[in-house]
Amino acid sequence: MAFILGVSKKYHPSEFGGMLRGKNDVIEEVLVIPATTYGNGFVDTRMDMIPIDHSIIGSVHSHPGSDYRPSRADLEFFLKTGPVHLIARSPYAGITDVAAYDRSGKRIRLSILQ
Ligand SMILES: [Zn+2]
């Protein structure tokens, strides 16, 4: 989680985007998508930039504003990429600035395993 917040801050005011790798709905690793796509909006990320990897369970991206609700384009992307999606909002201060959604864009609970 600290990693996601840190990378989001680093790319602010651009969006940061990445894929989540894990098992079931437990996120084990964050793959940062190549830097050439930053600033164009995460949803413009070409699907062929994303490694083919069956441990990909979803996506993460940041919103430079204070709203972490998924956009219409985000929702379309969620449908294609897996069951768990995170959106971090500015100022990326802590877990209250990160929201988790399922494939259909419904808010789901996010908890940190120690
Ligand atoms: Zn978005």
Side-chain angles (χ1 to χ4, degrees):
M1 189 56 59
F3 175 79
I4 290 170
L5 295 167
V7 180
S8 297
K9 267 183 209 157
K10 190 172 145 202
Y11 286 101
H12 186 84
S14 294
E15 290 187 16
F16 138 76
M19 302 305 289
L20 303 174
R21 178 183 269 167
K23 278 194 203 82
N24 302 319
D25 56 358
V26 179
I27 301 157
E28 293 170 338
E29 198 184 346
V30 178
L31 304 174
V32 177
I33 291 179
T36 50
T37 62
Y38 296 140
N40 300 330
F42 181 59
V43 295
D44 292 333
T45 300
R46 291 165 47 202
M47 290 300 288
D48 60 8
M49 299 290 287
I50 298 170
I52 295 171
D53 182 336
H54 296 290
S55 61
I56 298 289
I57 57 169
S59 70
V60 55
H61 72 284
S62 63
H63 279 178
S66 58
D67 189 349
Y68 52 28
R69 283 176 301 178
S71 67
R72 201 180 177 80
D74 288 342
L75 291 171
E76 277 169 37
F77 187 78
F78 289 0
L79 271 175
K80 287 184 269 184
T81 39
V84 186
H85 303 276
L86 303 180
I87 298 179
R89 66 176 174 192
S90 175
Y92 325 110
I95 193 163
T96 53
D97 287 325
V98 181
Y101 301 93
D102 69 8
R103 194 187 288 276
S104 66
K106 232 188 315 150
R107 189 89 186 262
I108 54 176
R109 229 177 81 108
L110 178 63
S111 49
I112 298 177
L113 305 177
Q114 297 301 327

